[in-house]
Amino acid sequence: MAAEPQPKALTRKPLLLNKVEGSQEVVNMAAIVPKEDGIISVSEDRTVRVWLKRDSGQYWPSIYHAMPSPCSCMSFNPETRRLSIGLDNGTISEFILSEDYNKMTQVKSYQAHQSRVMMVLFVLEMEWVLSTGQDKHFTWHCSESGQRLGGYRTTAGACGLQFDVETRHVFVGDHSGQVTILKLEQESCSLITTFKGHTGGVTALCWDPIQRVLFSGSSDHSIIMWDIGGRKGTAIELQGHNDKVQSLSYAHHTRQLISCGADGGIVVWNMDVERQETPEWLDSDSCQKCDQPFFWNFKQMWDSKKIGLRQHHCRKCGQAVCGKCSSKRSSIPLMGFEFQVRVCDSCHDSITDEQRAPTATFHDSKHNIVHVHFDATRGWLLTSGTDKVIKVGARSLLS
């Protein structure tokens, strides 16, 4: 269950460096070109644009290319300047950008899906193009030959996709709320396991190959951190949004997770702290503090001549409690609850001020964010969304 929204004590306005305007529809994805004063964007208006910063300090399009269908996603490899673009019609088109970023040349096209491409990844080490689609399929192609190497049918349409080069594991998150882990070979794949923890669809995935941790964002407003490297099955919840989480990015050098959502919020999570798993909610027919019966416990209500009460759960200990025994609220940041949530009275008394210290900062972007991209070389954060504007924020966002 999502945390109960409360005022955010650490909300602050991000320092805006630049705004890039000109798209006629939603900008589905954009990325900062490393070591260049440039931005690449793809939009529902069918355009691919490369924006370069001019002497005036403003970004102007150096490339304006119209595609045959709305552009849903992209993947850019700065080493090869290869740009892979997923389209609404199921096609993936690949281009090579010139060294001066003033020209793009199409090199290949894949009919990867029967409907909208949701995510695309180009893996230089394998020479693979990975993709997921609304047609409930994950596919991968050889980027050299253009040949389809294989596919896997997912439970539902998938829009989360990450890949670990070292182990050749691919992570696919779908609208059923499930994360599927596959092991890829050159022309075959095998199912490793599935994770089920969200009550809503998975909307974004982010992989930390160093700590070997997978983050999944969901329409249920939550983020789950899956500790795959620890091999203990640990799953940590992070509650910091009031609407669906739509994009995730990770700053490896500072161990900070950046999440953006439909609520317009940008949340920067400090992952360099020892976090705790939330407890399983316990089942009981009566309050585990005062023994008052819950409203379905007819026998105890009759025997004690008492009216049944509504059941609640303490977010810290997981016990089933009545409203009287859980009348207080508290944030529990180390459990991922940056907002105040229901806790039983005894747990409330046990939580210290130090344990209530926030582990995340909140920034209001004032628009529904569809995608976020973090450039570690300069500490810039780029967001794009439904207001058709690309915004670039400064390093202070992560300070």
Side-chain angles (χ1 to χ4, degrees):
M1 184 180 294
E4 300 166 14
Q6 296 290 329
K8 302 168 189 168
L10 289 182
T11 298
R12 54 192 185 194
K13 187 176 180 180
L15 178 59
L16 187 65
L17 291 179
N18 227 310
K19 291 200 301 185
V20 181
E21 302 176 274
S23 298
Q24 302 302 308
E25 296 290 343
V26 176
V27 180
N28 284 317
M29 199 169 283
I32 297 168
V33 180
K35 301 178 183 179
E36 296 283 342
D37 277 331
I39 294 171
I40 303 171
S41 67
V42 296
S43 170
E44 283 290 322
D45 65 10
R46 301 191 300 115
T47 63
V48 181
R49 307 186 195 213
V50 178
W51 312 78
L52 294 181
K53 196 172 185 180
R54 306 304 184 186
D55 293 339
S56 64
Q58 298 300 311
Y59 285 91
W60 292 92
S62 61
I63 296 175
Y64 178 102
H65 185 86
M67 301 296 290
S69 182
C71 306
S72 52
C73 56
M74 72 174 204
S75 176
F76 178 64
N77 183 273
E79 293 180 46
T80 60
R81 299 189 307 283
R82 183 189 295 259
L83 178 63
S84 307
I85 302 165
L87 302 179
D88 192 62
N89 63 10
T91 302
I92 297 172
S93 294
E94 284 197 339
F95 298 85
I96 298 296
L97 301 185
S98 61
E99 288 188 24
D100 60 4
Y101 290 92
N102 282 306
K103 182 182 178 182
M104 55 191 286
T105 305
Q106 185 165 4
V107 292
K108 210 173 271 81
S109 184
Y110 314 86
Q111 189 55 49
H113 297 276
Q114 298 301 312
S115 57
R116 186 179 178 91
V117 181
M118 299 303 291
M119 283 294 291
V120 60
L121 284 178
F122 170 65
V123 183
L124 178 61
E125 294 84 352
M126 314 279 92
E127 292 289 349
W128 287 347
V129 177
L130 316 179
S131 63
T132 59
Q134 277 186 344
D135 60 357
K136 302 181 182 180
H137 275 86
F138 159 74
T139 66
W140 74 104
H141 292 74
C142 173
S143 63
E144 293 180 311
S145 66
Q147 178 186 356
R148 178 187 169 109
L149 299 176
Y152 182 88
R153 184 173 175 83
T154 56
T155 305
C159 57
L161 179 63
Q162 291 285 281
F163 182 73
D164 181 58
V165 174
E166 183 182 340
T167 63
R168 296 191 182 185
H169 285 157
V170 64
F171 308 94
V172 181
D174 63 46
H175 291 311
S176 74
Q178 179 173 288
V179 178
T180 302
I181 302 180
L182 305 169
K183 175 67 178 288
L184 296 192
E185 302 299 342
Q186 186 61 29
E187 296 184 7
S188 66
C189 72
S190 54
L191 176 64
I192 301 300
T193 189
T194 58
F195 294 154
K196 297 178 182 178
H198 290 289
T199 58
V202 174
T203 50
L205 292 179
C206 186
W207 172 244
D208 175 9
I210 300 171
Q211 302 295 325
R212 308 202 64 75
V213 167
L214 180 72
F215 300 96
S216 60
S218 170
S219 59
D220 65 10
H221 309 180
S222 74
I223 301 163
I224 297 180
M225 181 183 81
W226 308 90
D227 184 5
I228 294 172
R231 300 181 183 276
K232 296 179 181 178
T234 305
I236 306 295
E237 280 190 55
L238 303 174
Q239 300 277 2
H241 287 277
N242 295 317
D243 206 333
K244 64 179 177 180
V245 179
Q246 299 198 125
S247 185
L248 299 171
S249 188
Y250 192 71
H252 298 277
H253 63 300
T254 57
R255 292 196 63 186
Q256 288 174 299
L257 176 71
I258 306 156
S259 62
C260 297
D263 57 0
I266 304 171
V267 185
V268 181
W269 305 85
N270 177 14
M271 303 310 300
D272 197 22
V273 294
E274 193 68 32
R275 293 187 177 273
Q276 305 167 21
E277 280 192 286
T278 53
E280 291 287 335
W281 284 5
L282 303 177
D283 292 324
S284 179
D285 290 328
S286 58
C287 176
Q288 294 181 297
K289 295 295 182 181
C290 68
D291 203 37
Q292 284 272 73
F294 294 131
F295 62 82
W296 61 83
N297 189 350
F298 299 115
K299 185 180 185 304
Q300 189 174 345
M301 282 193 291
W302 177 264
D303 291 344
S304 63
K305 301 297 187 291
K306 292 178 179 177
I307 298 175
L309 303 174
R310 183 184 173 190
Q311 183 191 59
H312 300 282
H313 283 91
C314 173
R315 301 305 193 270
K316 190 172 191 298
C317 68
Q319 286 191 316
V321 290
C322 67
K324 185 178 178 181
C325 294
S326 58
S327 60
K328 298 178 180 178
R329 303 287 186 275
S330 177
S331 60
I332 322 174
L334 293 180
M335 282 187 168
F337 296 115
E338 294 289 334
F339 301 153
Q340 292 193 355
V341 290
R342 182 184 293 274
V343 292
C344 66
D345 292 354
S346 56
C347 279
H348 184 274
D349 295 339
S350 70
I351 301 173
T352 65
D353 289 341
E354 184 179 356
Q355 292 172 331
R356 290 190 178 95
T359 61
T361 56
F362 297 82
H363 312 263
D364 188 2
S365 71
K366 304 296 184 184
H367 76 293
N368 180 336
I369 299 174
V370 174
H371 180 73
V372 60
H373 175 247
F374 177 67
D375 176 23
T377 60
R378 282 171 289 193
W380 287 0
L381 189 72
L382 178 150
T383 62
S384 59
T386 56
D387 66 351
K388 310 170 191 176
V389 178
I390 301 166
K391 298 179 181 178
V392 182
R395 180 183 295 273
S396 60
L397 197 68
L398 298 182
S399 61

